[in-house]
Amino acid sequence: MTDAHAIDPDVPPSGAGCVECDAAGGWWFHLRRCASCGHIGCCDSSPGQHATAHWKATGHPLVRSFEPGEEWFWDYGAEELFDSGPELAPPVSRPEDQPAPGPAGRVPADWAGSLHR
């Protein structure tokens, strides 16, 4: 990873869902975790695209998937995918009983039409 120094393996995630979506009562498709500060944001397919917005606002280039069973990292600065990387503080994913898209009760019936592709 080109920006491996940007990883703080000891910082826990900011919560179980996208910080900004939770604050606004929104929903997400998939979640990403900032490897520098633990901020949980929604992916670029989500309506809010908050993980990318976090990178642009903070300069924190590395995210890890916050989906169960996924260990990959994305480097925004290098536009590069890594199959794995260092272990981060738990939990390493959203709760497995939380659906994707999520969270339960906030996803509209026509959610697929709202995704960015």
Side-chain angles (χ1 to χ4, degrees):
M1 286 181 203
T2 58
D3 289 314
H5 67 279
I7 297 173
D8 184 343
D10 298 321
V11 67
S14 60
C18 175
V19 173
E20 292 82 3
C21 289
D22 278 340
W27 63 276
W28 53 80
F29 186 50
H30 290 125
L31 298 171
R32 309 293 178 240
R33 174 184 178 171
C34 177
S36 295
C37 71
H39 174 272
I40 302 298
C42 55
C43 71
D44 284 349
S45 295
S46 300
Q49 301 178 325
H50 292 118
T52 295
H54 176 76
W55 165 61
K56 289 178 180 178
T58 64
H60 297 166
L62 293 169
V63 292
R64 181 179 171 175
S65 174
F66 201 57
E67 294 298 317
E70 296 183 0
E71 298 179 2
W72 58 263
F73 285 75
W74 174 255
D75 184 328
Y76 284 107
E79 295 186 359
E80 192 169 359
L81 178 69
F82 299 92
D83 291 335
S84 64
E87 284 297 315
L88 300 180
V92 296
S93 73
R94 64 172 167 78
E96 291 199 34
D97 62 352
Q98 176 180 290
R106 292 200 324 234
V107 180
D110 62 347
W111 64 268
S114 299
L115 294 180
H116 294 272
R117 301 195 191 262

